[in-house]
Amino acid sequence: MPTSKKPSEAAIKRELHTLSTRAFELAKAAADKAAGDSDKAEAAKLAAELPALSARSKALSADYQAEAARVLSEARLDLAFAKAGGGIPSSIRIGRYITEKAAAE
């Protein structure tokens, strides 16, 4: 019996959240002024993967579509922030990270 090459909903969700988590880590490194050229290159590579991941996310159930759009939006903003090394408008979550970090210092 042939196996389907279509990724499962669980696999797509996992891929979304893995990419989103990595995007946030890269953005935090940029906010902390700890991002190097390899981090910026990784952010660019991940950003290039977003359109394909966005297309795959269309296969998710209607119940998860809004969450997938939010996750992709945050990742897109975080990756742009990381690629630029900070200093540009950021996602809400990295903005919160920067504010909380400044308050703790």
Side-chain angles (χ1 to χ4, degrees):
M1 175 184 274
T3 57
S4 173
K5 297 224 181 221
K6 183 178 176 185
S8 70
E9 184 159 319
I12 295 169
K13 286 180 182 179
R14 191 171 36 255
E15 188 177 0
L16 277 167
H17 288 284
T18 298
L19 186 138
S20 178
T21 299
R22 186 62 186 141
F24 187 50
E25 290 169 353
L26 290 166
K28 287 192 313 187
D32 294 341
K33 307 289 189 239
D37 290 339
S38 64
D39 293 322
K40 292 176 185 178
E42 182 181 0
K45 179 182 170 286
L46 292 174
E49 294 175 15
L50 284 174
L53 183 55
S54 179
R56 285 192 298 282
S57 74
K58 304 282 188 259
L60 296 171
S61 66
D63 294 343
Y64 196 75
Q65 288 293 320
E67 175 68 7
R70 184 195 62 75
V71 168
L72 285 164
S73 177
E74 289 280 347
R76 185 173 290 111
L77 290 168
D78 287 343
L79 291 170
F81 185 83
K83 284 190 316 184
I88 64 169
S90 64
S91 68
I92 292 170
R93 66 184 178 175
I94 198 64
R96 206 172 340 197
Y97 171 81
I98 293 167
T99 301
E100 289 171 2
K101 183 178 178 208
E105 291 177 344

